[in-house]
Amino acid sequence: MISPPTLHIHLVSDATGETNHQIARACLVQFDGVRAKEHVWSLVRTRSYLDKVIAGLEAHPGPVLFTLVEPELRRRLEEACRRLEVPCIAILDPVLSALGSHLGLKSHGRPGRQHELDAAYFRRIEAMDYTLAHDDGQHVHDLEDADIVVVGVSRTSKTPTSLYLANRGYKTANVPIVPGIDPPDEIFHLRKPLVVAFTTDPTRLIQVRRNRVLMLKQREETDYVALEQVRREVADARRMFERNGWPVIDVTRRSIEETAAAVLQHLETGDNDNG
């Protein structure tokens, strides 16, 4: 049996891209026999990053769904799409009609079809199972099977971000960087997964950790919440990240959705070349 051709679809947003992702999925499942490859371009707010988007579009031409507020960015994206002769859709109203025209298919028009137990659903379940089994440095022997490996000091949103990415279908492991304890050697030799490092402002980190300590009803002060020790812990971790060439995301002022969008941005732009 001949596999159906792959439709490359580019989701371009100046925010997290969740709206694009949900609408693209809801529409694509209305067409039988279509295998889609999503290129997620989130937090597109500068001309330089839009240039990367256009380069990706040139490499894999296909429909563009976008949510961009900045007029100049919108204009440049639309011009690139006209040059490449691909649909450029400011999402919502024209999504179904434009995809139908591009694919030469008529949509089924059945609401809720995106909730059927399709291959994407099972990929998300598999990703969630993997992510739960590889939380907080567990089972490092098969990290090579991950799509993404998140590293960072304690309380930098590694687990919730990993679960969010798993729900998007990405097998995500997270490994803590603990003072005085060598990280597992496996993370320094990974070739396939994107290894991405989380950092944060030490003062904000102490606030988060103090809340955690209070929740656990622990009264004793420890290095875990001491300012100088935490500053040193964050600085030492940052130096490790830089030595290994891992992309670093500052999660201080980011929501989980924004952090995940930044991770996927690195994954899309090829920052996962660990060889």
Side-chain angles (χ1 to χ4, degrees):
M1 177 181 292
I2 300 176
S3 299
T6 297
L7 170 73
H8 291 275
I9 185 165
H10 296 260
L11 309 180
V12 184
S13 174
D14 52 16
T16 65
E18 271 302 293
T19 301
N20 283 343
H21 174 73
Q22 295 297 334
I23 290 179
R25 177 170 167 75
C27 292
L28 285 169
V29 296
Q30 302 289 339
F31 302 98
D32 290 330
V34 176
R35 184 176 60 184
K37 163 64 177 174
E38 292 184 3
H39 300 266
V40 180
W41 305 95
S42 304
L43 305 175
V44 181
R45 299 172 183 172
T46 65
R47 289 189 57 163
S48 61
Y49 188 49
L50 184 62
D51 289 340
K52 292 183 179 180
V53 175
I54 293 172
L57 182 58
E58 291 170 342
H60 301 288
V64 175
L65 309 188
F66 74 89
T67 51
L68 295 177
V69 174
E70 172 59 45
E72 176 62 14
L73 296 182
R74 289 173 60 108
R75 183 187 64 78
R76 294 185 68 235
L77 180 61
E78 289 169 344
E79 287 178 355
C81 289
R82 282 195 294 271
R83 173 169 54 84
L84 294 170
E85 299 182 340
V86 295
C88 189
I89 308 160
I91 62 169
L92 296 180
D93 293 349
V95 172
L96 275 173
S97 60
L99 285 175
S101 174
H102 182 76
L103 295 169
L105 296 172
K106 182 178 179 181
S107 72
H108 293 285
R110 296 205 300 269
R113 198 165 180 230
Q114 66 268 32
H115 301 299
E116 292 181 0
L117 300 183
D118 57 5
Y121 170 83
F122 289 108
R123 281 197 300 272
R124 291 198 302 276
I125 295 299
E126 182 181 6
M128 187 63 73
D129 287 344
Y130 181 92
T131 299
L132 289 170
H134 294 78
D135 182 42
D136 203 30
Q138 300 181 80
H139 304 296
V140 296
H141 64 281
D142 63 347
L143 289 180
E144 195 65 46
D145 294 336
D147 298 307
I148 300 163
V149 176
V150 177
V151 299
V153 301
S154 173
R155 313 313 296 177
T156 49
S157 303
K158 297 186 300 298
T159 293
T161 304
S162 297
L163 293 173
Y164 183 93
L165 290 165
N167 193 51
R168 291 285 297 270
Y170 297 95
K171 294 181 179 178
T172 308
N174 75 81
V175 178
I177 304 301
V178 181
I181 299 177
D182 291 334
D185 189 59
E186 286 83 354
I187 67 172
F188 302 111
H189 305 287
L190 297 173
R191 300 188 63 83
K192 170 184 165 287
L194 165 69
V195 181
V196 61
F198 288 1
T199 191
T200 190
D201 175 72
T203 303
R204 173 58 179 158
L205 180 58
I206 288 172
Q207 293 175 350
V208 174
R209 288 182 173 183
R210 284 191 185 280
N211 290 336
R212 174 67 172 172
V213 168
L214 288 173
M215 188 173 66
L216 296 175
K217 299 181 179 180
Q218 296 175 351
R219 302 292 182 183
E220 184 179 349
E221 287 285 320
T222 67
D223 289 350
Y224 187 66
V225 292
L227 181 58
E228 288 307 313
Q229 281 79 3
V230 172
R231 283 177 174 167
R232 187 178 304 113
E233 179 184 354
V234 171
D236 288 347
R238 186 68 179 256
R239 284 191 287 270
M240 176 194 296
F241 305 155
E242 292 172 354
R243 284 198 305 270
N244 288 278
W246 297 331
V248 178
I249 297 173
D250 190 331
V251 303
T252 305
R253 296 176 180 85
R254 294 181 191 263
S255 66
I256 299 303
E257 294 83 0
E258 288 171 331
T259 300
V263 172
L264 294 179
Q265 177 178 317
H266 285 293
L267 189 65
E268 183 66 40
T269 53
D271 292 338
N272 58 325
D273 184 4
N274 298 311

